[in-house]
């Protein structure tokens, strides 16, 4: 078991928003995760923060689990999965937050799963002229890119500075391209210098090429998604 996998134990916790399955150690949290927002106090929201309907005995107030704002039932009726906060079940969200969470579903259900399943590449470190065949995958806690071969590397996702996807098949008139590799630059903890790795898809079997291309495409989307996640 790798060092990063040893910290993957989780626990079930209950909050006012619902049940959450969270890592036991905060250091094992996903870099794509979100903290639960503080709820706007009931006394500070006499009206719905979307439609301005006044709350009373009949019109009850509800808090969006993603933004913490206060809404009437009409403006906060959708229950949508929210994996970024580790909720076990779909939770109540306002219309705007529900739309964002729904868009993130593909990110979690497809791209991250493809990366965690892994793919095989020839990996070249720095300016070396030697490459090593390695299985590359995202750790279960989504914090590390794990590379296994004769050597072993664990690269923290938040330390990756650039991801350049290498393609082939481009024609002047346009047309489809295929991902064949990747150049990755990252910082090793304790150093300010960038380390570079080059990943080249194995050409042994067509199935490997397809798997590698899917993995590279997911890596590109997750890198973009990671930047978006940190801005939200």
């Amino acid at each position: 078991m790798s060092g990063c996998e040893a910290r993957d134990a989780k626990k079930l916790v209950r909050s006012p928003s619902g049940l959450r399955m969270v890592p036991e150690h905060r250091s094992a949290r996903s870099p794509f995760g979100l903290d639960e927002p503080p709820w706007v106090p009931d006394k500070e929201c006499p009206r719905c923060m979307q439609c301005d309907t006044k709350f009373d005995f009949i019109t009850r107030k509800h808090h969006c689990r993603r933004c913490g704002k206060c809404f009437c039932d009409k403006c906060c009726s959708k229950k949508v999965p929210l994996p970024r906060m580790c909720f076990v079940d779909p939770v109540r969200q306002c219309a705007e937050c529900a739309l964002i969470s729904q868009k993130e579903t593909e990110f979690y259900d497809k791209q991250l799963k493809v990366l965690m399943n892994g793919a095989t590449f020839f990996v070249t470190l720095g300016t070396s002229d030697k490459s090593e065949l390695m299985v590359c995958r995202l750790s279960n806690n989504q914090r590390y890119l794990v590379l296994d071969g004769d050597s072993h590397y664990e690269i923290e996702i938040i330390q990756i500075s650039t991801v350049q996807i290498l393609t082939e098949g481009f024609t002047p008139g346009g047309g489809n391209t295929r991902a064949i590799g990747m150049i990755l630059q990252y910082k090793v903890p304790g150093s300010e210098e960038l380390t570079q790795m080059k990943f080249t898809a194995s050409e042994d079997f067509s199935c490997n090429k397809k798997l590698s291309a899917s993995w590279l495409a997911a890596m590109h989307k997750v890198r973009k998604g990671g930047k978006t996640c940190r801005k939200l």
Side-chain angles (χ1 to χ4, degrees):
M1 180 181 292
S2 68
C4 64
E5 300 296 342
R7 300 186 293 272
D8 280 348
K10 295 185 177 181
K11 60 182 179 181
L12 190 65
V13 299
R14 181 183 294 277
S15 73
S17 299
L19 286 174
R20 302 169 65 221
M21 184 65 74
V22 302
E24 286 191 356
H25 304 283
R26 189 172 180 84
S27 61
R29 289 187 54 189
S30 166
F32 307 110
L34 282 176
D35 290 324
E36 282 189 83
W39 282 11
V40 175
D42 286 351
K43 62 182 180 180
E44 294 181 13
C45 52
R47 296 178 178 272
C48 173
M49 300 179 76
Q50 177 63 40
C51 69
D52 204 39
T53 297
K54 185 177 181 180
F55 295 123
D56 54 29
F57 181 74
I58 297 176
T59 305
R60 299 182 59 190
K61 59 186 66 175
H62 301 278
H63 286 86
C64 171
R65 272 49 175 173
R66 186 179 181 115
C67 68
K69 294 180 180 178
C70 202
F71 303 91
C72 67
D73 183 68
K74 182 180 178 181
C75 294
C76 194
S77 61
K78 294 185 178 181
K79 290 191 175 183
V80 180
L82 186 47
R84 288 184 66 188
M85 289 185 191
C86 303
F87 282 110
V88 174
D89 300 308
V91 290
R92 188 185 293 271
Q93 299 177 56
C94 66
E96 183 178 353
C97 287
L99 183 60
I100 295 173
S101 295
Q102 287 168 345
K103 288 181 178 179
E104 290 173 349
T105 298
E106 180 181 358
F107 177 79
Y108 271 84
D109 289 352
K110 294 184 180 180
Q111 275 78 46
L112 288 184
K113 286 185 178 180
V114 167
L115 289 179
M116 286 189 281
N117 287 336
T120 302
F121 296 92
F122 286 104
V123 179
T124 306
L125 181 62
T127 58
S128 173
D129 56 358
K130 295 182 180 180
S131 61
E132 181 179 339
L133 190 63
M134 308 189 81
V135 175
C136 307
R137 62 183 178 83
L138 189 68
S139 64
N140 291 337
N141 61 24
Q142 303 162 4
R143 291 186 62 87
Y144 296 88
L145 188 61
V146 181
L147 288 72
D148 278 310
D150 290 336
S151 305
H152 176 81
Y153 298 95
E154 295 180 6
I155 303 171
E156 195 168 8
I157 294 296
I158 60 173
Q159 297 296 336
I160 296 175
S161 59
T162 60
V163 175
Q164 178 186 354
I165 303 299
L166 306 176
T167 61
E168 68 175 9
F170 176 78
T171 59
N176 294 328
T177 59
R178 181 171 64 91
I180 60 170
M182 171 178 71
I183 294 177
L184 196 75
Q185 290 187 319
Y186 65 97
K187 287 184 178 180
V188 177
S191 173
E192 291 300 316
E193 295 184 3
L194 290 176
T195 299
Q196 178 172 296
M197 276 187 174
K198 182 178 180 180
F199 297 67
T200 305
S202 170
E203 298 289 335
D204 293 344
F205 303 100
S206 59
C207 59
N208 283 348
K209 291 166 67 175
K210 291 180 180 179
L211 181 62
S212 298
S214 297
W215 194 93
L216 290 167
M219 185 66 187
H220 179 63
K221 290 182 179 179
V222 164
R223 178 59 182 164
K224 291 173 62 179
K227 290 179 180 179
T228 301
C229 284
R230 286 191 288 273
K231 291 178 181 177
L232 291 177

